[in-house]
Amino acid sequence: EDQVTQSPEALRLQEGESSSLNCSYTVSGLRGLFWYRQDPGKGPEFLFTLYSAGEEKEKERLKATLTKKESFLHITAPKPEDSATYLCAVQAGANNLFFGTGTRLTVIP
Amino acid sequence: ETGVTQSPTHLIKTRGQQVTLRCSSQSGHNTVSWYQQALGQGPQFIFQYYREEENGRGNFPPRFSGLQFPNYSSELNVNALELDDSALYLCASRTGTGRNTGELFFGEGSRLTVL
């Protein structure tokens, strides 16, 4: 059965304090792993796609990496505007994404 | 470029009633999918439409149904509402071809409360 587990559930960081979010997955035949950001009351916003182990993607203060069993979202020197819930998803079939429950990040000024 | 728009943004229904939620896809996108997001959970896939045909469905009962129109807009209908149907309903669109089928553009959702 496909499974996506994100940790921690919640994370509080001081502004400038770097950290990592974890997404471990079990899926038969990974077709892609995706990271999204979701602000309260909004729909998710696409951040990254990773397809194979060893792949890395970067955008501003965020870097996503992928191994055969997990993905990390590294946040370098975060700012308060990085506060959001970060969702990890795997492509489980031809047409759908299977999401984790997210990590709620709070960056304190 | 117009993004994904959903209506209504909030609505309240009572158990047993029926609801229709609407979605206009992003310009140039011919594939629409619907997700249900309960409070504190990740989105769960309901179904997907491509060229007016349902071409994928998650683990949701038949009282969840949908339509896609020639202009690629879409509706989600839920019959015989239950309390557990209370959630944020998200519509997402993308182009129907290419490798990046997980790169979805989401609307802001319709918040449904069932009393």
Side-chain angles (χ1 to χ4, degrees):
Chain A
E1 183 179 300
D2 299 328
Q3 198 161 11
V4 175
T5 303
Q6 292 190 245
S7 62
E9 289 186 10
L11 182 62
R12 289 172 65 89
L13 299 173
Q14 290 292 133
E15 184 172 1
E17 179 187 3
S18 301
S19 188
S20 296
L21 283 53
N22 177 263
C23 171
S24 61
Y25 63 90
T26 305
V27 62
S28 51
L30 180 69
R31 300 181 61 162
L33 185 139
F34 305 85
W35 283 96
Y36 282 81
R37 169 192 170 129
Q38 186 173 26
D39 292 302
K42 307 285 187 181
E45 176 188 352
F46 170 76
L47 292 173
F48 301 111
T49 305
L50 300 165
Y51 288 110
S52 55
E55 191 174 357
E56 297 184 354
K57 294 276 179 73
E58 283 190 68
K59 179 180 178 180
E60 295 180 356
R61 294 176 293 281
L62 301 177
K63 182 168 83 171
T65 61
L66 181 65
T67 72
K68 288 187 178 179
K69 294 184 178 180
E70 57 192 351
S71 177
F72 292 93
L73 184 66
H74 306 278
I75 303 176
T76 302
K79 298 182 178 182
E81 53 262 42
D82 295 322
S83 297
T85 295
Y86 290 85
L87 295 165
C88 169
V90 295
Q91 189 164 352
N95 301 313
N96 61 291
L97 295 184
F98 190 87
F99 282 87
T101 56
T103 293
R104 188 172 66 255
L105 174 66
T106 304
V107 182
I108 304 160
Chain B
E1 185 179 81
T2 306
V4 177
T5 58
Q6 294 187 240
S7 63
T9 54
H10 295 81
L11 68 166
I12 300 173
K13 294 285 187 178
T14 55
R15 197 169 46 183
Q17 285 189 312
Q18 177 265 343
V19 68
T20 297
L21 308 178
R22 296 179 174 83
C23 171
S24 293
S25 61
Q26 182 160 317
S27 176
H29 288 183
N30 56 13
T31 302
V32 173
S33 52
W34 287 89
Y35 286 78
Q36 180 195 65
Q37 186 175 26
L39 202 61
Q41 302 297 312
Q44 274 194 289
F45 176 68
I46 303 175
F47 44 58
Q48 177 176 280
Y49 280 83
Y50 173 65
R51 293 185 175 178
E52 303 176 57
E53 296 284 333
E54 183 181 301
N55 71 342
R57 189 177 184 94
N59 189 25
F60 281 81
R63 60 189 184 84
F64 286 77
S65 64
L67 285 172
Q68 187 181 31
F69 300 99
N71 66 354
Y72 305 131
S73 66
S74 178
E75 285 182 358
L76 165 65
N77 299 289
V78 186
N79 294 321
L81 284 167
E82 301 177 359
L83 298 180
D84 285 349
D85 295 334
S86 295
L88 182 68
Y89 288 86
L90 295 162
C91 172
S93 73
R94 61 172 176 85
T95 56
T97 58
R99 187 183 188 194
N100 300 328
T101 56
E103 295 179 17
L104 303 178
F105 293 81
F106 283 88
E108 296 200 344
S110 294
R111 170 74 64 188
L112 172 65
T113 302
V114 182
L115 302 176

